[in-house]
Amino acid sequence: MDRTERIIKYIEDELTFVERSKFEEELKNSFELKKEFEKYVQLKNDTITLKGVKLDKNYLDSIIPEFRKRLQSSKSRGIKFSLGYAFGIMLAFILSIAVVNYYLSSKSESTDLPEFAESLSDSQRMELLESLETELNSTELFSGNVSVNEIDRLINAELEISSEVLESYDIAYDDLIVGLEQDEVNKIYNEILSRNF
Amino acid sequence: MNSNTEDYELIRDFLSGNEQSFNILARKYQEKVYWHARRMLGDHDDAHEIVQQVLLVMHSKLNTFNFSSSIYTWIYKITSTRSLNLLKKRKLKRYFTFSENKNFENIGHENVIADIEAREKFNKMEKLLLKLPSKQREIFVMRNYDDLSYDKISMITGKSIGALKANYFHAFRKMKELMEKDG
């Protein structure tokens, strides 16, 4: 144990009885040790003196009222936060429903031949087929690997046209696409190909 | 009726809805909280802020107090943690803003210390304390100003008694050296 450690332990009353007696003996005989010891004692006494320092009464009396004000404002902040949070959740929910609705409705606008065919009544189908008998312009869009007859056969299958109707009307792809916009024609053609190839 | 029993009754009363009991409890410990924070932070405004924060924590968390220790130990732990956190925050702020060390003259706040004679001694000691590393400062303050045993300090800080004694030894020696330099 070095000198400083013994001094501090002596001041803090952490030495054993034997160590304490030995230290006190050394203190009597060593001027250096005594000088050093007194510096530590001075420091200890200064801290003890300052332990009793009191705060101004006016300041002390102001602490609780300020605390109560802060408590009140933190409560109202809490309510505002909760309301804001609830509003945000609601807004996010409404927006997500709107997005999902938009997505679903735009999807349903895509061309779906079987659905289209099913949506027609028998009289509408007959009307459609009759109109296709007239001489109209056609657009050639055939893939090099798919024959005209094949496309026609697929059209008939997609539209679920019965054999009786087929006998009466010669349904061809060219006829069906007459009168449609180019974009619509492309859609139908690609739809047929993707379904079947 | 000892102090602990009185405190427990005040706590139970507050938890039943009596805000006045909380005020009594707060008034009992506010000065101790202030002094611990002041000695750790060396600044009146920061110490005042810590007092307010500790009261708010007490008010919201007293329902979690389990009556196994004294309320003072519980409050002290909150004060110590908050003070150390504020010290770390200040250190980071100084680092990122490249600002000089704050001048802890506390001009304008000297009148919070009632006794004029004590003010000068206090300010001198405060300057020396601020030169200690925060962990050494903490143990020095706890042992010399708050009269806490090593067992209690170990409970509050979570450190071993051996480590605390070593820290205290270094703190005491450093304070003496600083006092010599200061004249």
Side-chain angles (χ1 to χ4, degrees):
Chain A
M1 219 188 299
D2 71 7
R3 189 164 73 179
T4 308
E5 204 178 333
R6 281 189 298 140
I7 291 172
I8 293 171
K9 283 192 168 184
Y10 179 85
I11 292 170
E12 297 292 317
D13 200 21
E14 287 174 17
L15 292 175
T16 62
F17 177 77
V18 170
E19 285 169 337
R20 196 176 179 80
S21 307
K22 197 175 168 190
F23 181 79
E24 283 168 355
E25 197 60 38
E26 272 182 63
L27 262 180
K28 282 182 201 167
N29 300 323
S30 167
F31 175 74
E32 264 185 41
L33 179 63
K34 195 175 177 185
K35 207 172 152 190
E36 189 77 355
F37 174 73
E38 279 167 0
K39 286 176 187 170
Y40 280 98
V41 168
Q42 181 64 46
L43 172 58
K44 189 75 181 178
N45 288 339
D46 286 349
T47 60
I48 290 168
T49 312
L50 290 171
K51 258 186 352 189
V53 172
K54 291 283 171 204
L55 283 172
D56 176 62
K57 192 181 178 304
N58 291 331
Y59 170 67
L60 281 173
D61 289 342
S62 72
I63 292 174
I64 305 273
E66 185 178 333
F67 156 71
R68 288 285 164 193
K69 262 191 219 163
R70 287 195 189 206
L71 188 64
Q72 196 55 43
S73 68
S74 76
K75 275 183 185 166
S76 57
R77 254 203 319 271
I79 291 167
K80 280 181 192 164
F81 177 78
S82 301
L83 285 174
Y85 185 70
F87 178 72
I89 296 277
M90 209 169 66
L91 196 63
F93 182 67
I94 291 167
L95 280 171
S96 55
I97 288 176
V99 164
V100 166
N101 263 346
Y102 174 77
Y103 176 72
L104 288 175
S105 63
S106 63
K107 212 181 171 203
S108 68
E109 283 166 11
S110 66
T111 308
D112 192 323
L113 274 175
E115 264 187 43
F116 171 68
E118 276 173 28
S119 70
L120 297 174
S121 64
D122 284 344
S123 57
Q124 281 174 325
R125 283 192 198 186
M126 293 302 288
E127 206 180 299
L128 175 66
L129 293 169
E130 278 170 21
S131 71
L132 293 175
E133 278 197 329
T134 59
E135 287 284 311
L136 296 162
N137 295 325
S138 66
T139 308
E140 286 190 15
L141 281 171
F142 303 120
S143 155
N145 296 323
V146 181
S147 69
V148 172
N149 289 337
E150 193 70 11
I151 296 287
D152 288 343
R153 187 187 66 74
L154 292 170
I155 286 281
N156 298 334
E158 289 291 346
L159 292 177
E160 295 176 15
I161 300 171
S162 69
S163 52
E164 292 95 8
V165 173
L166 272 178
E167 278 175 22
S168 307
Y169 300 95
D170 185 14
I171 310 298
Y173 172 79
D174 291 357
D175 300 325
L176 277 176
I177 64 173
V178 162
L180 295 176
E181 295 293 325
Q182 189 57 48
D183 285 344
E184 287 167 336
V185 169
N186 291 345
K187 262 187 202 168
I188 293 168
Y189 178 69
N190 290 329
E191 185 70 30
I192 294 167
L193 286 183
S194 68
R195 277 174 190 280
N196 294 281
F197 297 101
Chain B
M1 194 187 282
N2 71 28
S3 179
N4 265 350
T5 316
E6 270 175 30
D7 290 346
Y8 291 167
E9 279 191 19
L10 285 169
I11 293 166
R12 285 194 183 96
D13 213 22
F14 162 64
L15 293 175
S16 311
N18 186 351
E19 289 289 332
Q20 276 308 312
S21 296
F22 181 86
N23 287 352
I24 296 168
L25 203 60
R27 254 183 236 111
K28 189 173 174 184
Y29 292 109
Q30 64 186 9
E31 197 165 359
K32 285 185 176 180
V33 171
Y34 175 88
W35 281 124
H36 180 73
R38 178 74 189 257
R39 286 174 185 125
M40 285 302 296
L41 300 164
D43 177 67
H44 166 74
D45 288 335
D46 286 346
H48 174 71
E49 182 57 32
I50 295 293
V51 171
Q52 292 296 324
Q53 283 182 22
V54 168
L55 290 178
L56 284 168
V57 170
M58 273 173 70
H59 195 268
S60 65
K61 301 284 183 197
L62 255 178
N63 57 347
T64 65
F65 178 66
N66 60 15
F67 299 90
S68 60
S69 62
S70 75
I71 185 70
Y72 178 53
T73 308
W74 189 76
I75 293 169
Y76 199 98
K77 201 169 181 177
I78 300 168
T79 310
S80 186
T81 309
R82 293 257 162 176
S83 301
L84 285 172
N85 286 345
L86 187 54
L87 272 175
K88 282 180 201 164
K89 211 171 154 182
R90 261 188 356 206
K91 208 173 170 183
L92 273 172
K93 206 176 169 183
R94 272 205 300 274
Y95 179 78
F96 284 110
T97 58
F98 304 106
S99 59
E100 296 292 316
N101 277 344
K102 196 175 169 185
N103 182 3
F104 293 110
E105 290 292 339
N106 278 301
I107 294 162
H109 294 300
E110 288 167 1
N111 56 357
V112 295
I113 297 170
D115 184 57
I116 299 165
E117 206 180 300
R119 255 181 240 161
E120 210 182 287
K121 280 186 183 169
F122 179 85
N123 288 337
K124 187 179 170 184
M125 188 61 80
E126 193 169 54
K127 278 181 193 165
L128 294 180
L129 269 175
L130 287 174
K131 289 176 184 174
L132 284 181
S134 58
K135 296 289 182 189
Q136 285 182 18
R137 195 185 317 158
E138 191 184 27
I139 181 73
F140 189 86
V141 165
M142 284 179 170
R143 285 288 293 169
N144 288 298
Y145 292 104
D146 301 319
D147 289 329
L148 296 175
S149 65
Y150 282 114
D151 283 327
K152 265 266 159 57
I153 298 171
S154 175
M155 218 161 55
I156 290 166
T157 62
K159 291 189 171 58
S160 69
I161 290 175
L164 291 170
K165 283 186 175 179
N167 245 344
Y168 181 66
F169 165 76
H170 291 299
F172 207 150
R173 190 172 61 179
K174 179 89 181 170
M175 280 297 283
K176 175 241 167 198
E177 286 166 11
L178 289 168
M179 214 167 76
E180 277 177 326
K181 243 189 231 176
D182 203 47

